Amino acid sequence: MQYISMLAVFTLCGSSLCNLIQEQQTDFGLRVFSEAAQSASDRNLALSPYGISSVLGMAQLGAYGSTLQMLISKMGYSLQARGMPKLQRLLQRDLHSEDGVEIASGVMVDRKIVLEKIFRRSLAKAFQSIPHQIDFSQLENARQVINSWISDHTGEMIPEFLPSGVLSEQTRLVLLNALYFHGLWKMPFDPKLTREQLFYRLNGSAVSISMMRTTQKFNYGDFVTSDGVDYDVIEVPYEGDSVSMLLVTPFERDVPLMALNKELSSSSISQWRKQMRKVNKQLAIPRFSMDTEIDLKSTLSKMGLGDIFSQSKADFSRITTEEPLCVSKVLQRVKLEVNEEGTKGSSATAAVIYSRMAIEEITLDRPFYFLIQHKPTGQFCFQSLNSFS
């Protein structure tokens, strides 16, 4: 599918969710999206901010010392602070209680590892999650168990989340979040009005896609960034009105979507809602499906979270004191289907945590020097350049 120059922000606007942790998690998730989008300007990108916040929140519960302080600083909140686990649990409960929304958090832990009691209690308090033992020495079986768990909690939209090779015998934990959403539009689009139309991509080219159309009263607002870029925001509600899609796009066709990155924050969304008004609008949006996968290690490192991946700096001793741990990968896959009836979406997010005592492999899969040295004298007996040419 061609790149879609449009940002869709799904929001839950119930008053019970308008609390501090919800705003902080929204801000962090949107910052991750903005950073990831910088490296994905030529392709489709869909992320689940809540999924990212959840798995890193679980990692935060197991962090200690400078690693914990770094996570708190960059994420903007601490789940280890008094009262915060309860707020996290209530947030997850409110999300899960919405019709068409299913959320699950899981922890798969190697059966050889003994978890600290404080970590197990924190997981239960914040995410209502009880760790499941798994044998990571049986890699394919472990992968199938995790993929089956993800499939069960994403409406079977993501049956094969973890590809072969992601896990190793050094894997100690996999922190998981799964989200499934199926929402019907409050006012469905008439399929008879859907027709082919040109869609203008960021590189200036155009492609023909199926465009859905409807005319009705929407919450709408026009805004201007601090840099003087005009943009539109229109809200398309789902049945029940508590879940909606916010469509955000520059007013001028030749203005890149990246110009709106600074506008992605919980405070901006709140400001949009205050200023938007019901107006009669004709809306045309693409009928599309997306399936995106991303390893967020590079993105999170650029955001200052690189220490969690470091074998020398990461400190997750609140998870276990038996061996040092570090995060290996933070993976996410998102599938979306938007049509005349509504939207189906699912996301799977995983933080794969390795033992820092693992032996790092050095693969000589490129030309290398070969030297044999007599150490007492320092003399080289043989020296060679191997390029296998």
Side-chain angles (χ1 to χ4, degrees):
M1 178 180 169
Q2 309 301 327
Y3 178 79
I4 295 180
S5 179
M6 176 179 65
L7 171 63
V9 180
F10 294 90
T11 63
L12 286 157
C13 49
S15 59
S16 62
L17 293 180
C18 297
N19 55 46
L20 182 61
I21 191 172
Q22 185 263 341
E23 293 178 0
Q24 292 166 333
Q25 289 191 1
T26 297
D27 281 336
F28 175 67
L30 291 174
R31 290 200 306 273
V32 174
F33 179 89
S34 296
E35 184 63 47
Q38 298 289 338
S39 304
S41 58
D42 60 344
R43 62 183 176 89
N44 292 313
L45 176 65
L47 291 182
S48 167
Y50 181 78
I52 297 166
S53 297
S54 293
V55 297
L56 288 183
M58 286 189 277
Q60 192 187 102
L61 291 175
Y64 189 73
S66 61
T67 300
L68 173 61
Q69 295 308 312
M70 177 200 62
L71 284 164
I72 294 173
S73 172
K74 300 303 179 182
M75 295 177 70
Y77 59 93
S78 170
L79 284 185
Q80 291 191 21
R82 186 179 180 86
M84 291 295 278
K86 180 181 179 180
L87 289 179
Q88 175 65 50
R89 184 176 71 253
L90 293 176
L91 174 61
Q92 183 163 299
R93 181 203 65 185
D94 286 351
L95 285 166
H96 192 74
S97 67
E98 293 292 336
D99 289 338
V101 179
E102 296 180 24
I103 291 176
S105 296
V107 177
M108 303 295 178
V109 58
D110 190 84
R111 65 182 185 181
K112 297 187 294 292
I113 290 292
V114 177
L115 297 178
E116 293 292 300
K117 288 183 180 179
I118 190 170
F119 181 63
R120 288 191 279 110
R121 286 199 301 265
S122 297
L123 285 174
K125 287 181 181 179
F127 295 97
Q128 295 183 299
S129 180
I130 298 174
H132 296 278
Q133 287 191 330
I134 195 168
D135 186 359
F136 283 113
S137 67
Q138 304 294 321
L139 296 180
E140 185 56 28
N141 182 65
R143 188 176 74 92
Q144 290 179 9
V145 168
I146 293 172
N147 283 345
S148 178
W149 187 92
I150 290 293
S151 180
D152 290 344
H153 290 92
T154 57
E156 300 183 348
M157 286 186 71
I158 304 179
E160 288 291 322
F161 174 44
L162 294 183
S164 181
V166 168
L167 305 176
S168 79
E169 292 188 12
Q170 282 74 47
T171 304
R172 295 296 178 262
L173 292 94
V174 179
L175 310 177
L176 296 167
N177 176 267
L179 188 153
Y180 175 73
F181 171 70
H182 187 193
L184 301 177
W185 301 122
K186 185 177 182 180
M187 296 291 290
F189 291 77
D190 186 348
K192 295 178 182 177
L193 300 179
T194 300
R195 65 174 185 267
E196 294 296 302
Q197 182 175 324
L198 289 180
F199 183 91
Y200 297 89
R201 298 182 293 185
L202 290 180
N203 61 10
S205 63
V207 63
S208 180
I209 62 173
S210 296
M211 196 73 75
M212 307 184 300
R213 280 178 172 74
T214 187
T215 301
Q216 55 182 283
K217 283 194 172 182
F218 293 100
N219 277 333
Y220 167 82
D222 50 63
F223 304 92
V224 183
T225 71
S226 58
D227 297 326
V229 176
D230 295 290
Y231 66 100
D232 297 321
V233 179
I234 189 166
E235 182 178 25
V236 188
Y238 294 97
E239 283 187 346
D241 282 321
S242 59
V243 184
S244 65
M245 177 189 283
L246 291 173
L247 301 171
V248 186
T249 188
F251 182 77
E252 298 291 341
R253 181 183 295 166
D254 58 350
V255 174
L257 189 61
M258 297 300 173
L260 303 183
N261 271 9
K262 294 179 181 178
E263 302 300 300
L264 302 182
S265 68
S266 60
S267 60
S268 291
I269 294 173
S270 177
Q271 196 63 31
W272 294 343
R273 292 197 176 282
K274 289 178 182 178
Q275 297 184 26
M276 292 166 72
R277 297 291 181 267
K278 282 277 188 182
V279 295
N280 203 47
K281 284 282 183 180
Q282 184 180 66
L283 175 64
I285 64 172
R287 182 179 66 197
F288 65 91
S289 61
M290 295 177 66
D291 186 351
T292 67
E293 298 177 80
I294 188 171
D295 183 349
L296 291 163
K297 181 176 181 178
S298 175
T299 296
L300 296 172
S301 295
K302 290 177 182 177
M303 294 176 64
L305 287 158
D307 282 4
I308 66 173
F309 304 102
S310 171
Q311 291 197 14
S312 61
K313 297 179 180 179
D315 185 349
F316 290 102
S317 54
R318 279 173 59 102
I319 294 178
T320 183
T321 56
E322 292 189 332
E323 56 183 309
L325 304 172
C326 68
V327 179
S328 171
K329 300 176 183 294
V330 178
L331 307 172
Q332 187 169 90
R333 183 174 180 183
V334 174
K335 294 185 74 172
L336 286 173
E337 298 174 7
V338 178
N339 58 31
E340 289 85 354
E341 294 182 350
T343 302
K344 284 178 66 176
S346 62
S347 73
T349 313
V352 182
I353 298 181
Y354 276 17
S355 167
R356 281 167 51 191
M357 294 191 299
I359 299 174
E360 184 178 3
E361 180 181 68
I362 299 176
T363 304
L364 300 181
D365 56 0
R366 53 200 176 279
F368 61 93
Y369 284 111
F370 170 52
L371 306 97
I372 296 180
Q373 182 187 34
H374 178 241
K375 292 198 292 183
T377 63
Q379 294 297 311
F380 289 101
C381 302
F382 299 96
Q383 181 174 338
S384 173
L385 168 64
N386 292 282
S387 60
F388 296 95
S389 57

